[in-house]
Amino acid sequence: MKLLLTSGGVTNPSIHSALVQLLGKPVADSHALCIPTAQWGHQMCGPATVRGLIAAQPAPDWQYLTGLGWASLGVLELTALPTIGAERWVPWVREADVLLVDGGDATYLCHWMRESGLADLLPSLPDTVWVGVSAGSMVMTPRIGDYFVEWPSAPDDRTLGVVDFSIFPHLNAFPTNTPADAERWAADIGAPAYAIDEQTAIKVADGSVEVISEGQWTKFG
């Protein structure tokens, strides 16, 4: 897949330009599916925040993901997929130009990506764009660090490993996400990693990794 891994979404013109490049056409001509699943694994999320994601309300919370002006916007809830059959949901995914994957707990999202079969489908979607926010980005990495595990049933901090680096999101957005916190987290990860703020994204396409930023970021390792 083509990946746009963000902390806060498509928050500035540089990230928006990168998204259009990956799509190969304007956002207004692109069909999107949003995936709220990670939210159910995080104690700070619930019905109201899932509704906010889908409705892109209240602004500005979700205007940088579901509120970008897509040609169409649907919902793909991964926890439902094992019960309805791949013959129904796989065509939905194949017909989408972009998957908008929201934050929450990355280990919970990883679990349901595997259980649903979506993780196995990803290698057959070379033209589909994956736009991750927070946990929706972290799930593509090898590990997220114990620092970010909120789901009580998580066996460990390992995730899908689609990319070979880890991500510390929301740099300077919260009191517990300072540069010093990121350094301690990176020391535990012990592998290539990035700390990114809300104005930064990591674009991955054709084997190339590029940081797109109008904010602050640090690379470790």
Side-chain angles (χ1 to χ4, degrees):
M1 298 186 75
K2 304 172 186 177
L3 309 179
L4 190 63
L5 307 177
T6 81
S7 176
V10 184
T11 53
N12 59 55
S14 297
I15 300 177
H16 192 279
S17 177
L19 172 59
V20 172
Q21 290 173 8
L22 291 174
L23 290 168
K25 57 184 175 180
V27 168
D29 296 334
S30 302
H31 299 274
L33 288 177
C34 73
I35 299 176
T37 305
Q39 289 207 31
W40 303 118
H42 199 290
Q43 296 181 8
M44 293 179 64
C45 302
T49 58
V50 171
R51 184 264 178 197
L53 168 71
I54 295 166
Q57 292 289 335
D61 294 4
W62 285 279
Q63 73 182 59
Y64 303 122
L65 190 64
T66 50
L68 294 173
W70 303 99
S72 67
L73 180 68
V75 179
L76 189 72
E77 175 47 64
L78 302 188
T79 61
L81 301 190
T83 65
I84 65 173
E87 68 278 1
R88 288 191 66 195
W89 67 263
V90 169
W92 302 340
V93 175
R94 292 197 181 279
E95 291 165 7
D97 296 303
V98 59
L99 302 180
L100 309 176
V101 190
D102 198 29
D105 186 274
T107 60
Y108 185 81
L109 176 59
C110 181
H111 170 81
W112 282 107
M113 285 184 67
R114 290 184 170 130
E115 287 291 309
S116 67
L118 181 60
D120 292 333
L121 184 66
L122 297 186
S124 69
L125 304 173
D127 297 322
T128 307
V129 179
W130 177 284
V131 179
V133 168
S134 191
S137 298
M138 298 165 77
V139 73
M140 291 301 199
T141 71
R143 290 180 57 205
I144 64 170
D146 293 338
Y147 192 76
F148 289 109
V149 177
E150 295 284 343
W151 182 38
S153 297
D156 50 45
D157 73 327
R158 289 178 293 179
T159 36
L160 294 177
V162 174
V163 298
D164 62 359
F165 55 83
S166 294
I167 295 174
F168 181 103
H170 309 303
L171 183 64
N172 290 323
F174 304 111
T176 54
N177 286 53
T178 67
D181 294 316
E183 287 186 17
R184 287 190 290 269
W185 166 84
D188 176 66
I189 292 292
Y194 294 86
I196 61 175
D197 71 358
E198 309 304 274
Q199 300 297 320
T200 300
I202 303 172
K203 183 175 76 169
V204 183
D206 300 321
S208 174
V209 178
E210 180 182 0
V211 177
I212 312 293
S213 183
E214 294 185 16
Q216 294 182 316
W217 62 279
T218 300
K219 183 178 180 180
F220 301 98

